[in-house]
Amino acid sequence: MGKTLVIAEKPSVAGDISRVLGGLKREKDYFEGDDYVVSSAVGHLITIKPPDSAEVKRGKWKMENLPVIPQAFDLDPISKTESRFKLLKRLMKRKDVDLIINACDAGREGELIFRYIIEAAKIKKTTRRLWLQSMTPGAIREGFENLKTEEEMESLADAAKCRSEADWLMGINGTRAMTAFNSPAGGFQLTTVGRVQTPTLTLLVKREKEIQAFKPVPYWEVHASFTVKAGSYEGRWFDESFRKPKTGRGERASDKKAERIWSQAQADAIVAHCEARPATVEEEKKPSKQASPLLYDLTSLQREANGRFGFSARGTLAIAQALYERHKVLTYPRTDSRYLPEDYMGTVKQVLGNFGGTVYGDYAGKITTNNWVVPSKRIFNGAKVSDHFAIVPTNQQPKNLKEQEQKIYDMVVRRFLSIFYPPAVYEVTTRISRVDEHAFKTEGKILTELGWLEVYGKGSPEAASDLVPVDADEKAQMDGIEARSEETRPPARYTEATLLSAMESAGKFVDDDELREAMAEKGLGTPATRATIIENLIGQEYVRREERNLHPTAKAFNLMETVSVMKIPALDSPETTGEWEFKLKEVEQGKRTRDQFMQEIQRVTRDVVEAVRGFNPESIEMRETGINDPVSGQPIVETLRDFRSRDGKLVIRKALAGRIMELEEIAQLIEQREVGPLDGFRSRQGWNTFSAMVRLNEAGETELDWGQHEEKDQEPISFEGLEPLGMHPVMNVAVYDTERAFISEAKGKDDKPLFRLPRKILDRDIEAEEVRKMLVDGKTEVLKGFVSKKRGKRPFDAFLVANEEKGKGWGFEFPPRPVRKPAGKKKTARKTVSKTAGKTAGKTAGKTVQSARPEADSTQA
């Protein structure tokens, strides 16, 4: 019998499996023993090949090449990981290997990674599936004892390929069609759309429109204070006949409440009638039980981590993945289930027993002593477990967790422990103080039994109510009353936590009752992909993250308006996309065939392209902006592609160098004839970004200035009376702190300053003292807070270094990072990494530094 090749998804998992199998010797990128060879991918190694006929030509994609619907999807190795694919291909083709085990992550994407590797390498050997819910040695051994056959995984593989091909078809065709539509003048306005991404953006834009259109409505509340023998208490007037109104979808039922009064005259009349009057008092007391929350799935974990700690969805997933994969203290995190299988009770008891001696030991011991682990559909429910069960701790204790890892681990463990505890019990008191026909409500709540709250350190139940007692038949004297003026508030902007909830429950946005019920457990995307979708929206500059709130940009509004008037529900409708997710699940369950699903996707793809191709933007009516041109007095209106004066003499395109202008920026540009510097412009080929001033010249034409003509349309900089910050250590020129930039008075042959450093670089303000240090020492301290424009607005730290490049004279140098060495070897610091953006590399102190140009990662205006 030959050897078995095990292919994991990541190298760390391959290492764990090899240790459990035992007796394997490490080669360069794989492990080998008498019976097993263990290696891994590094995530996705294979991608669907882009169509040659529709590649980028002269900075734009052509509509005549669309739609692209291949008869078969060709696969290509991803260039940066091609060497790993070649290694696996060589191992799979070895004559002594006769069985291949798929040990990639247990889910749709893990299945896709493996299947694409097998197909791309044209391997016909027998395969089996290792399905792991946790990474403990016991779970790995159990997985090898229960390998699944290729036939058992066929439906999951079909769903995985359907997802991949559907996203490819919609992404390639939708993005290229919309980019071609938005780039009619020969520029390149990249307009990405996606099967899940764009409907998610719809939620954000719709909410922002609700906020913008919101007009506060005044209302009043009447508050009174009452005195009895035992003390005083507060009460609020309410309408005893109030019933929650029936509202249509999208209406704000939350504005209608029993305590709100919509007329000041009515509120004042209540105050006048009740002031200084005695009140009869009646009370009702009843117990109220509160069960612990359900176990975590990935979305609920991401949502709570964002609310409690401000962690991004992607960050929480990365932490949970590390706790599963590297530390092996959590079960598989990419799950949409909040339940455990019925046969997991024995494992639960084992996990509880292993908490002895930890901070969780007392709680675990109490659960065991009281025999609280019992069959319960609220916890153990196989019908609500799909590929994976809820995220729970394993029987392995953590070591050396980082602070963020400890926070997520603690959340999961306490949720796990609390669900076995009895409910918390409250005594709820409702007191009605009545003056004639006017009723005032006071509510008190006392915790009588801690229940599961004990796990969260709530301490002892309160001994007394927070309401002063009232004797039987005792009347309360009103000793104060007032009408308070309030206003209704707009809906809150989405945070990552609330957007994850909206994506998860996208079915509630669906009008069709049957489909909404079918989608009750399926929304936009999957738990494993929602974080990536949000980050992609931010990276494509459709969304800005401001503190915890998500703000759609003008680019998002422009896309959604365009898609809406084109009437393409496949791109903006949560209903359509949620239905596709539901059908993918049916493919996974074998209830729908792969061919049926893909035929529908191909039809929708053709419809999308034809809708874009046949659309005439001139057919869209103009919209008033409320802006007037101060030169001509003409009102400015907005069309689908530009802002223009009503007489058409002033026209400003919305898209300037691939960047969509915000309305506020247009207003400043028209009023002051310039705005900026603004970030996010793109070079003609579309790949590099730069920053620039936008100006209106005398002919009313827009011009971009990223420093290529510093003096044009401006008064020359006066250096009279300015003291230099210092002398440039390489170029030997004096550098001054001016309103526009840190700049040298000395100029080169092209009449440009020999040195020029913007006051803001990559979203970070540069301080004069930082420039002074660079001039004195050759470089600054490490400066924090730069934001890369190339990779999803990721923050980074760097030195600013004085170099010798003329017309600029500065560059980036990046601090050293430790390089990971194989286990057992001491870590060493990597030498300073350097890059050069221009033909001439700037050098200082023997180190090469990056010399960024306007079209690269830099702010030059």
Side-chain angles (χ1 to χ4, degrees):
M1 183 176 177
K3 294 187 178 184
T4 297
L5 171 63
V6 181
I7 300 178
E9 187 166 324
K10 302 177 186 70
S12 60
V13 177
D16 294 334
I17 292 173
S18 67
R19 282 189 287 273
V20 171
L21 293 175
L24 278 69
K25 180 182 177 182
R26 186 185 183 107
E27 303 296 338
K28 184 178 180 182
D29 288 311
Y30 63 94
F31 303 84
E32 185 164 4
D34 294 337
D35 299 316
Y36 289 96
V37 179
V38 180
S39 189
S40 77
V42 281
H44 282 274
L45 300 184
I46 306 297
T47 186
I48 298 177
K49 186 178 180 180
D52 295 333
S53 60
E55 280 303 275
V56 179
K57 302 285 179 65
R58 292 181 297 280
K60 64 179 180 180
W61 285 307
K62 295 179 179 295
M63 189 71 77
E64 54 262 34
N65 292 322
L66 303 174
V68 180
I69 302 179
Q71 293 295 318
F73 290 85
D74 295 328
L75 302 178
D76 256 359
I78 297 172
S79 58
K80 66 179 181 180
T81 55
E82 188 171 5
S83 61
R84 180 54 65 107
F85 170 68
K86 289 179 177 178
L87 166 68
L88 294 180
K89 183 177 180 180
R90 188 171 70 249
L91 294 175
M92 288 187 290
K93 289 195 170 185
R94 276 176 38 171
K95 292 182 179 180
D96 61 341
V97 169
D98 56 15
L99 175 65
I100 304 172
I101 293 179
N102 174 9
C104 294
D105 285 358
R108 199 163 70 186
E109 286 308 296
E111 196 67 24
L112 185 70
I113 289 171
F114 179 79
R115 295 288 179 131
Y116 273 1
I117 291 171
I118 290 287
E119 288 182 24
K122 296 180 171 56
I123 301 299
K124 302 297 182 182
K125 296 181 180 180
T126 303
T127 64
R128 291 288 184 268
R129 186 55 151 113
L130 177 65
W131 193 263
L132 298 178
Q133 298 280 18
S134 72
M135 288 301 299
T136 62
I140 293 173
R141 281 190 287 269
E142 184 179 351
F144 271 96
E145 292 170 2
N146 296 279
L147 292 173
K148 298 176 182 288
T149 66
E150 184 175 349
E151 290 71 28
E152 289 179 275
M153 308 308 300
E154 204 61 44
S155 293
L156 181 63
D158 284 347
K161 291 176 182 177
C162 283
R163 195 284 307 158
S164 176
E165 292 169 9
D167 284 349
W168 188 93
L169 285 171
M170 193 58 67
I172 287 284
N173 290 283
T175 294
R176 294 184 178 192
M178 292 302 298
T179 299
F181 173 81
N182 283 326
S183 307
F188 187 84
Q189 186 187 331
L190 180 62
T191 309
T192 60
V193 296
R195 185 180 61 87
V196 178
Q197 169 186 301
T198 313
T200 301
L201 190 59
T202 298
L203 300 177
L204 288 158
V205 170
K206 182 179 179 182
R207 175 62 59 85
E208 193 69 20
K209 285 182 176 178
E210 291 173 355
I211 294 171
Q212 292 174 357
F214 180 81
K215 290 181 173 51
V217 178
Y219 68 90
W220 287 261
E221 291 183 355
V222 175
H223 294 255
S225 58
F226 299 90
T227 301
V228 292
K229 287 185 292 185
S232 60
Y233 62 92
E234 302 289 320
R236 181 169 58 175
W237 181 92
F238 74 106
D239 180 1
E240 290 186 278
S241 64
F242 177 83
R243 296 292 180 271
K244 189 174 182 178
K246 294 182 179 179
T247 59
R249 189 169 287 109
E251 293 186 43
R252 286 168 54 90
S254 58
D255 287 343
K256 307 297 182 183
K257 295 182 179 180
E259 63 271 15
R260 291 185 175 180
I261 303 166
W262 301 98
S263 160
Q264 184 175 5
Q266 182 185 355
D268 290 343
I270 294 171
V271 170
H273 180 88
C274 298
E275 192 168 16
R277 299 276 300 278
T280 59
V281 181
E282 55 192 60
E283 281 188 345
E284 181 184 58
K285 295 184 179 182
K286 59 182 180 180
S288 175
K289 293 185 177 181
Q290 182 187 45
S292 70
L294 294 176
L295 297 169
Y296 287 118
D297 62 0
L298 178 57
T299 300
S300 59
L301 181 68
Q302 290 170 318
R303 191 166 56 230
E304 188 167 324
N306 180 258
R308 288 179 61 181
F309 308 120
F311 293 172
S312 70
R314 183 173 66 177
T316 299
L317 173 56
I319 295 167
Q321 190 73 19
L323 291 169
Y324 158 73
E325 186 180 305
R326 188 184 320 131
H327 299 288
K328 304 167 190 58
V329 294
L330 294 187
T331 58
Y332 187 75
R334 299 170 186 258
T335 176
D336 60 357
S337 176
R338 304 186 71 175
Y339 299 85
L340 299 173
E342 284 88 348
D343 60 2
Y344 207 74
M345 285 182 57
T347 305
V348 165
K349 293 176 181 179
Q350 183 182 2
V351 172
L352 291 170
N354 287 336
F355 280 127
T358 71
V359 294
Y360 312 111
D362 289 345
Y363 311 121
K366 194 169 184 177
I367 294 170
T368 302
T369 301
N370 289 282
N371 196 28
W372 285 341
V373 180
V374 295
S376 166
K377 288 295 183 184
R378 193 169 181 272
I379 306 171
F380 303 100
N381 191 342
K384 294 189 176 182
V385 176
S386 51
D387 296 335
H388 308 283
F389 50 73
I391 305 171
V392 293
T394 68
N395 55 19
Q396 187 157 320
Q397 293 303 310
K399 296 178 181 178
N400 304 319
L401 296 185
K402 298 176 183 176
E403 180 183 355
Q404 292 184 336
E405 292 173 335
Q406 181 61 48
K407 287 179 177 178
I408 296 298
Y409 179 72
D410 185 72
M411 285 174 59
V412 173
V413 172
R414 292 187 188 276
R415 178 65 63 90
F416 171 74
L417 294 169
S418 68
I419 202 166
F420 298 106
Y421 266 69
V425 181
Y426 297 87
E427 182 182 78
V428 179
T429 301
T430 302
R431 178 178 296 171
I432 305 298
S433 305
R434 188 172 282 107
V435 179
D436 296 333
E437 73 274 17
H438 296 294
F440 297 79
K441 181 184 289 186
T442 308
E443 290 181 315
K445 188 177 181 181
I446 176 173
L447 179 65
T448 57
E449 295 179 30
L450 277 172
W452 63 273
L453 291 174
E454 180 184 343
V455 177
Y456 291 88
K458 294 293 183 181
S460 302
E462 299 171 25
S465 172
D466 52 355
L467 270 180
V468 297
V470 177
D471 293 341
D473 299 325
E474 182 182 5
K475 288 195 172 184
Q477 180 61 42
M478 182 180 293
D479 54 14
I481 187 171
E482 64 174 340
R484 298 178 185 174
S485 176
E486 306 283 354
E487 282 186 338
T488 56
R489 298 180 181 179
R493 283 188 175 86
Y494 281 113
T495 63
E496 286 199 45
T498 56
L499 182 58
L500 286 167
S501 294
M503 293 172 73
E504 183 181 38
S505 57
K508 72 181 182 182
F509 301 105
V510 173
D511 292 321
D512 182 85
D513 291 337
E514 184 178 353
L515 180 58
R516 184 167 58 252
E517 183 177 352
M519 287 176 59
E521 296 182 6
K522 276 294 171 189
L524 294 174
T526 66
T529 61
R530 287 172 189 142
T532 302
I533 291 164
I534 295 172
E535 292 298 330
N536 285 344
L537 289 173
I538 294 170
Q540 291 296 332
E541 299 182 343
Y542 286 121
V543 176
R544 291 193 309 272
R545 184 190 279 121
E546 297 183 8
E547 295 182 345
R548 295 191 182 185
N549 292 330
L550 300 175
H551 295 248
T553 63
K555 182 179 179 181
F557 275 87
N558 186 254
L559 171 62
M560 300 319 303
E561 181 180 17
T562 303
V563 170
S564 177
V565 297
M566 286 179 174
K567 295 182 171 55
I568 310 178
L571 288 183
D572 68 348
S573 168
E575 178 174 350
T576 301
T577 306
E579 184 178 2
W580 288 358
E581 290 290 346
F582 176 72
K583 289 176 179 178
L584 279 171
K585 191 66 177 179
E586 287 189 323
V587 174
E588 190 173 315
Q589 295 168 343
K591 298 177 181 178
R592 181 180 294 269
T593 69
R594 171 163 153 68
D595 286 344
Q596 287 173 332
F597 182 86
M598 291 310 302
Q599 285 173 11
E600 181 175 354
I601 294 295
Q602 290 172 11
R603 176 186 59 78
V604 173
T605 300
R606 292 187 180 95
D607 292 344
V608 168
V609 172
E610 290 309 311
V612 178
R613 193 197 316 275
F615 180 71
N616 177 14
E618 305 305 324
S619 64
I620 304 303
E621 294 183 2
M622 297 180 181
R623 182 171 59 232
E624 297 285 348
T625 64
I627 304 169
N628 290 319
D629 183 355
V631 176
S632 67
Q634 285 283 321
I636 302 298
V637 295
E638 180 183 359
T639 73
L640 199 58
R641 281 185 167 157
D642 55 46
F643 295 90
R644 59 177 61 198
S645 58
R646 179 63 76 177
D647 60 8
K649 292 183 178 179
L650 174 64
V651 179
I652 304 172
R653 295 199 315 274
K654 286 184 178 179
L656 297 177
R659 181 190 189 277
I660 299 293
M661 299 289 288
E662 301 275 357
L663 180 61
E664 294 79 7
E665 296 166 353
I666 293 292
Q668 183 178 337
L669 176 62
I670 292 173
E671 181 179 345
Q672 301 179 15
R673 318 311 279 185
E674 71 173 24
V675 62
L678 305 176
D679 298 331
F681 295 104
R682 288 184 179 270
S683 63
R684 185 168 293 275
Q685 293 303 316
W687 310 124
N688 295 320
T689 61
F690 64 95
S691 302
M693 295 290 295
V694 184
R695 296 193 176 91
L696 281 178
N697 63 22
E698 293 180 1
E701 300 166 334
T702 53
E703 294 182 341
L704 295 183
D705 179 4
W706 59 86
Q708 78 276 33
H709 38 71
E710 178 70 40
E711 308 305 324
K712 188 174 182 179
D713 295 335
Q714 294 190 29
E715 292 294 325
I717 294 176
S718 172
F719 293 90
E720 185 177 350
L722 292 181
E723 292 290 332
L725 288 172
M727 296 295 293
H728 194 288
V730 179
M731 302 169 65
N732 198 32
V733 295
V735 176
Y736 295 85
D737 180 0
T738 74
E739 184 178 349
R740 299 181 204 167
F742 301 101
I743 200 167
S744 66
E745 185 175 10
K747 297 183 178 181
K749 294 179 182 179
D750 54 3
D751 204 36
K752 292 181 180 178
L754 289 174
F755 176 88
R756 187 181 190 282
L757 176 68
R759 301 194 68 87
K760 188 172 187 176
I761 302 174
L762 297 177
D763 288 355
R764 188 194 189 280
D765 294 323
I766 306 300
E767 303 293 337
E769 285 306 311
E770 294 168 343
V771 179
R772 194 190 308 276
K773 181 171 181 59
M774 182 183 76
L775 297 175
V776 173
D777 298 340
K779 70 178 182 179
T780 64
E781 301 288 349
V782 175
L783 304 182
K784 298 181 181 294
F786 296 109
V787 180
S788 169
K789 303 301 181 187
K790 289 184 176 179
R791 297 179 176 86
K793 291 198 171 184
R794 295 179 184 175
F796 70 93
D797 306 333
F799 302 96
L800 286 183
V801 184
N803 66 25
E804 60 188 4
E805 185 179 349
K806 294 181 180 179
K808 186 154 180 261
W810 63 273
F812 286 119
E813 180 183 305
F814 300 102
R817 295 184 298 179
V819 175
R820 291 184 180 179
K821 294 289 185 180
K825 295 185 179 181
K826 187 177 180 181
K827 292 183 178 180
T828 59
R830 188 172 70 181
K831 293 182 179 179
T832 301
V833 177
S834 59
K835 298 179 181 178
T836 304
K839 292 182 180 179
T840 304
K843 296 182 180 179
T844 180
K847 296 178 181 178
T848 307
V849 297
Q850 181 178 9
S851 178
R853 293 190 291 185
E855 64 271 19
D857 249 3
S858 179
T859 301
Q860 292 296 307

